[in-house]
Amino acid sequence: MAAEKNKYTILISKEEISRRVTVLSEQISSEYAGKEILLICTLKGAVIFASDLARSIKVPCELGFVKAKSYSGDQTTGRVDISFEDVPDIKGRHIIIAEDIIDTGLTLKKLSEYFLAKEPASMKICALLDKPSRRKVDIKADYVGFKIEDHFVVGYGLDHNEKYRNLPFIAKLEL
Ligand code: IMP
Ligand code: MG
């Protein structure tokens, strides 16, 4: 197994992430008051974000999981492979897709088309990070943690060849 040898610099601290996740979950909790949410986590990148978000959302919140892969190392392959790991019935549910980062937008476009076809009562996208300058397709998140420049970032669930996911902050990786 390769060591974590790339240098990195912290871009968003653990405290900043925590404050922002609290704000997002408060916003979601008030907008969904009286409703139940099905929070769909995109594996693996969004697992830490979705876990923190789910725990601070104040309305009933079921969890679903999809696995989406479009990156190899630091390069997008332009192809999105999706497997539906554990997603309950979508029809009539209020779903929120929790994504770690929107880059080209291809993953979310494919996921949102798939879920919309299943007739949810509503569908929103909550992304921790957004790199708008990299967009190839027209996709916008309803809730965004942080907009960032075109850096390759790791930590808080995001990886480079499966490394760095467990860092508690978001860091810019030197490639
Ligand atoms: P998109 O389909 O190009 O929008 O890619 C989205 C997926 O690519 C994200 O969910 C991440 O898993 C991965 N990705 C995009 N940019 C980065 C990055 O800077 N660091 C780590 N993973 C990334
Ligand atoms: Mg992802």
Side-chain angles (χ1 to χ4, degrees):
M1 209 182 287
E4 295 179 3
K5 56 180 172 11
N6 301 61
K7 282 193 185 150
Y8 56 74
T9 42
I10 298 181
L11 190 65
I12 308 169
S13 70
K14 186 178 162 184
E15 293 73 23
E16 282 175 274
I17 298 172
S18 166
R19 280 196 294 272
R20 190 70 189 125
V21 169
T22 303
V23 169
L24 291 176
S25 60
E26 281 170 355
Q27 196 184 339
I28 291 171
S29 303
S30 79
E31 287 177 20
Y32 287 81
K35 294 178 182 157
E36 282 193 21
I37 298 170
L38 171 57
L39 185 68
I40 300 176
C41 168
T42 60
L43 297 171
K44 299 178 194 171
V47 72
I48 295 177
F49 175 48
S51 314
D52 282 347
L53 195 65
R55 282 179 294 178
S56 66
I57 285 176
K58 300 286 185 294
V59 297
C61 183
E62 205 176 307
L63 293 175
F65 297 90
V66 292
K67 192 166 185 179
K69 189 167 170 48
S70 62
Y71 256 71
S72 177
D74 65 321
Q75 298 295 319
T76 177
T77 60
R79 198 190 65 232
V80 187
D81 298 321
I82 294 175
S83 58
F84 296 87
E85 298 288 310
D86 187 348
V87 180
D89 210 6
I90 302 290
K91 192 168 176 152
R93 308 288 306 273
H94 294 288
I95 70 170
I96 300 180
I97 306 174
E99 174 65 306
D100 49 349
I101 183 164
I102 317 180
D103 183 48
T104 62
L106 289 165
T107 304
L108 276 172
K109 187 168 168 30
K110 193 161 175 182
L111 280 177
S112 52
E113 282 171 359
Y114 174 87
F115 287 129
L116 281 176
K118 304 267 175 211
E119 302 176 27
S122 68
M123 187 188 77
K124 286 195 176 177
I125 293 168
C126 180
L128 175 68
L129 303 171
D130 187 5
K131 277 194 229 175
S133 64
R134 296 258 309 159
R135 206 69 97 250
K136 286 194 182 144
V137 289
D138 185 26
I139 267 287
K140 277 193 193 68
D142 303 277
Y143 308 99
V144 174
F146 304 91
K147 279 199 173 138
I148 61 167
E149 302 292 317
D150 183 13
H151 309 301
F152 191 81
V153 291
V154 292
Y156 198 69
L158 291 102
D159 76 310
H160 179 249
N161 290 332
E162 297 300 327
K163 307 284 181 199
Y164 310 100
R165 290 196 198 275
N166 64 321
L167 296 177
F169 42 76
I170 305 281
K172 203 162 101 176
L173 197 66
E174 281 178 29
L175 294 163

